[in-house]
Every structure is written in structure tokens, then in C-alpha cells.
Amino acid sequence: MEHLVNPRVKDIQISGIRKISNLVSTYKDALTLTIGQPDFPTPDHIMKAAHAAIDAHKTTYTPNPGMLELRQAASAFVKGKYGLDYRPESEVIVTSGASQALDITLRTILEEGSEVILPGPIYPGYEPLVRLCGGVPVYADTRKNGFKLTAELLDPYITEKTRCIILCYPSNPTGRVLSKEELADIARLLKDKSIFVISDEIYSELIYGQPHISLASYPGMREKTIVINGLSKSHSMTGWRIGFTFAPEEITQHMVKVHQYNVTCASSISQYAALEALTNGVDDALPMKEAYVQRRDFVYNRLLEMGFELEKPEGAFYLFPSIEKFKLSSMDFTMKLLEEQRVAVVPGDAFSIYGEGYIRISYAYGMDILEKATERMEAFVRKL
């Protein structure tokens, strides 16, 4: 019966990140730097709030877009942190993680043949969702532009079929961040164009040495921008699966229909945990961010010592060094490093063809692991 499966689903591949992670599990002595998951536990006060919700039997459906008090807290959070102003009653949806937020957004705004511009290299979770909607991914090569999709780079890719542009900064896999001026240039370019922007800001609380700025805060951009965020990275709540969409009412009213038939509502217990996170844990990310800065600087400097060429990330918890000088494909480099030194990284080609020639290293791990892993990497590259 497989011949009757939707061809679009059959054409989708399992994420390269998951492929390598699954492979690594067979190497019991491997040090893994693959998954973008905070190594910090969910803050204790959030755990207690979830326990309290369970004890109070708060296990029923919530309103489709999420509990109003949580939407109010989410609205207050992005207003206080980033100056964004969204009405919780009609412009905020609580989703089952940022991935589901992306799914319902793309289902709402795309139709057959719609072009979606993505900066390459990019997290592999976007393209399959675009294709499932009948959209056409259009990659803008950012490799010679410091991995930044600036207005000058973006402009030539815009056509009459362009329906949406996806911006994901801080970036996975590169950790790069668009500056205030670069965002202003994009806003000027798009201000008078009927094109949606999906601004994936899941790493907004993990920017180093500068404030996070959302494209939606620029004149003329709020009405065409769908902001996506969540608690996975900011509050170390990956498994709780809580994300958010922030968009004008005329867009949100349609997105919530897709959301309703997609999951009905996010987990009630997770929503109560999220409410605690966004009220009494507004700055929970700060101690994690301090640790990530230390880790970033350590791994970045070690890679430079080994002779790698790379951009210094301003956010998230990834490094994306070039391996072209070693004359190996990203997959061959990854497999040899795993087999010879038992260190696992993600091959760059997992992030589109524009990631070939690079590897992604996650530094969301303790310093002891990072020190051992970089020692092994140094031994490996010295032999190449």
C-alpha cells in the first residue's frame, strides 16, 4: 500500500541532525556535540507549577489558542523584552512547540506554487513544511555574506511568486544575528511589498552582548510579519512543547483554525508550566546565557587554534566552522571524526546544500565535555 502514500511525504527525508544523532547512540563511548538542547534542567519553580497543576487536576482541554492568562503573559513578555505589542485575546496562539507554530503558519499562508525564500544554510525543519504545503523553497546563498540574509542579498531572489521570507536569527546552524541596521534595510525593502515574513525568534533570549531586535518592531512590518517563539531554549523546556505565534488579528484568526484541527490545543499541564515561566521566570535564561558565552568563547578559540575558519556567533549555541581545507565532504569528515576519535558533530549538508563544506558544533554541553571533545578534535585534525 505504500504506493498510495502522499508523494510529498515520501519525498521528505529524515532530518540529517536526527540521522547522525541516532547513529551516535550506537557508539557508547562517543562525546556528542550534535543536539541543540540546553543541558540545564528546567528551572525548579516551573516544575513545581506543573506538579501543582497535576495535583489540581487541571488536565482538561484549554481554549484552542491557549489559556488566556498564558497568552496575556506571553504578550507581556515580548512587549517587555522586545517592544512588541500583540493583543492576547486575538493575536497570540499557544502552540505545541515552535515547530508546530511553523506548520500552522505555513499552512495558512501558502498555496500551490508559492515561493518561500530561505537563507542557506538553514535549520532543516523549514523546507519539508514548505513542500508539504505545495510551496517552492528558494534558497539565498549566505555563505559569502557572513551567513546573513541582508536586504542586498535578498532583493534579487524576490519574484512575483514570492509569498514568504523566513528569517531565523539568531541562526541555527551559524549563530549569526542581524544587526539593527541590517533589519532596518530589510524593512525598507519589504515595506511596500505584499510578502509575509516568518520571523523565527526561538533563540531571542540567547543573544550575547546586544539586545534582541524583532523585524516586527520596524515601521510597516508588523502587519506582514508572523513572529514565532517558544520556551524550549529560553527556559530549557524542549520536552514541554510550548511555542507561540504573534501575528495581526486578520492573520491569526485563520491560523487558529488550522491549529484547532491540527492539535486542538497545547498540553494543559505544559501551559501551566509556561505560565510560571513567563511570570516568575522572566529572566531564567540569564544564568544559562552566561554559561553559553563562556562555552562559546572556549570552543571558538580552540577551533581557531586548530586552524579552522569560522564566524564568531552572536547568539544561540552553535558554531559552524568550515572544513574545506581538509578536503573531505562534511559527511566524510563527520564519520571519520566519530569513528577515529568518538566525537559526534553534525555534517553541514544537513542544513541544505549550502551547508556542505562545514560542520555544526553545539556547545550546549558542560565544559568537561567540551574540553575533552576539543582535545579529541585537535588530535583528529592534526592527522589530516
Side-chain angles (χ1 to χ4, degrees):
M1 299 293 285
E2 186 183 10
H3 66 285
L4 299 179
V5 171
N6 184 335
R8 289 177 181 162
V9 176
K10 290 170 70 174
D11 288 342
I12 289 174
Q13 302 298 314
I14 298 296
S15 162
I17 303 173
R18 290 296 169 183
K19 282 182 179 179
I20 195 70
S21 297
N22 293 338
L23 176 62
V24 170
S25 66
T26 65
Y27 292 78
K28 302 304 181 184
D29 57 344
L31 297 175
T32 179
L33 306 178
T34 58
I35 296 296
Q37 175 168 272
D39 66 325
F40 299 92
T42 301
D44 189 57
H45 69 100
I46 297 174
M47 303 281 283
K48 289 179 179 177
H51 281 290
I54 293 172
D55 292 339
H57 304 288
K58 294 179 177 180
T59 57
T60 60
Y61 294 125
T62 72
N64 294 134
M67 303 187 313
L68 179 57
E69 55 265 54
L70 176 55
R71 285 179 277 147
Q72 290 170 334
S75 179
F77 185 89
V78 297
K79 185 172 184 178
K81 292 275 188 175
Y82 317 128
L84 299 176
D85 194 1
Y86 291 94
R87 293 188 297 276
E89 298 84 4
S90 57
E91 296 185 320
V92 182
I93 303 174
V94 183
T95 62
S96 295
S99 295
Q100 196 241 339
L102 284 165
D103 184 36
I104 65 170
T105 300
L106 290 166
R107 291 193 198 205
T108 300
I109 66 175
L110 298 187
E111 58 186 331
E112 196 74 28
S114 298
E115 291 183 354
V116 178
I117 301 175
L118 308 101
I122 191 171
Y123 174 68
Y126 302 106
E127 179 180 334
L129 296 179
V130 171
R131 292 194 180 280
L132 283 172
C133 295
V136 180
V138 176
Y139 283 97
D141 185 356
T142 66
R143 289 174 296 181
K144 293 184 179 180
N145 201 40
F147 300 121
K148 292 187 176 189
L149 184 60
T150 57
E152 183 179 9
L153 182 62
L154 171 63
D155 192 22
Y157 291 93
I158 296 175
T159 73
E160 61 181 14
K161 294 183 179 180
T162 302
R163 180 66 57 86
C164 173
I165 298 162
I166 294 180
L167 293 180
C168 44
Y169 294 98
S171 163
N172 177 4
T174 69
R176 297 311 309 273
V177 172
L178 293 178
S179 70
K180 181 179 180 180
E181 293 74 21
E182 288 165 340
L183 287 167
D185 288 342
I186 292 174
R188 282 191 288 269
L189 173 65
L190 300 179
K191 184 177 179 181
D192 297 323
K193 299 184 188 304
S194 297
I195 297 173
F196 287 109
V197 177
I198 296 177
S199 186
D200 186 346
E201 303 178 17
I202 191 67
Y203 294 98
S204 60
E205 283 295 279
L206 300 179
I207 291 184
Y208 313 124
Q210 59 185 298
H212 172 71
I213 304 173
S214 175
L215 185 68
S217 65
Y218 286 78
M221 294 309 299
R222 184 188 188 277
E223 54 263 38
K224 61 183 64 179
T225 302
I226 299 103
V227 175
I228 290 174
N229 214 315
L231 301 181
S232 290
K233 317 301 182 180
S234 61
H235 290 76
S236 195
M237 293 178 66
T238 53
W240 297 84
R241 309 311 303 134
I242 290 291
F244 302 97
T245 65
F246 302 91
E249 181 176 357
E250 59 266 26
I251 303 172
T252 298
Q253 67 176 331
H254 298 294
M255 290 168 55
V256 77
K257 293 184 289 187
V258 182
H259 172 72
Q260 173 188 354
Y261 293 114
N262 188 256
V263 298
T264 302
C265 63
S267 157
S268 62
I269 301 304
S270 292
Q271 288 193 57
Y272 281 103
L275 180 61
E276 173 68 17
L278 293 179
T279 51
N280 295 318
V282 172
D283 291 323
D284 277 352
L286 292 181
M288 290 189 283
K289 182 160 70 170
E290 291 176 3
Y292 290 140
V293 170
Q294 179 187 9
R295 297 172 185 184
R296 176 202 63 177
D297 291 346
F298 171 77
V299 181
Y300 174 77
N301 289 327
R302 289 289 285 119
L303 291 173
L304 288 180
E305 290 171 0
M306 296 178 212
F308 284 96
E309 296 178 1
L310 70 160
E311 299 281 352
K312 190 172 186 178
E314 302 98 338
F317 35 61
Y318 308 107
L319 290 148
F320 204 62
S322 171
I323 58 164
E324 287 189 5
K325 64 182 293 183
F326 301 112
K327 308 301 181 182
L328 291 171
S329 71
S330 61
M331 180 57 76
D332 287 344
F333 185 98
T334 298
M335 291 307 303
K336 284 176 69 67
L337 177 60
L338 178 60
E339 292 169 0
E340 295 181 15
Q341 290 292 336
R342 296 297 193 266
V343 175
V345 297
V346 181
D349 65 358
F351 304 96
S352 82
I353 61 172
Y354 300 102
E356 180 53 61
Y358 299 84
I359 57 171
R360 192 193 75 174
I361 297 171
S362 169
Y363 52 88
Y365 297 89
M367 284 297 297
D368 57 335
I369 293 176
L370 297 176
E371 289 170 359
K372 293 176 183 177
T374 51
E375 285 179 6
R376 295 184 186 184
M377 287 187 67
E378 183 171 25
F380 174 73
V381 298
R382 293 294 180 236
K383 293 181 180 180
L384 291 180

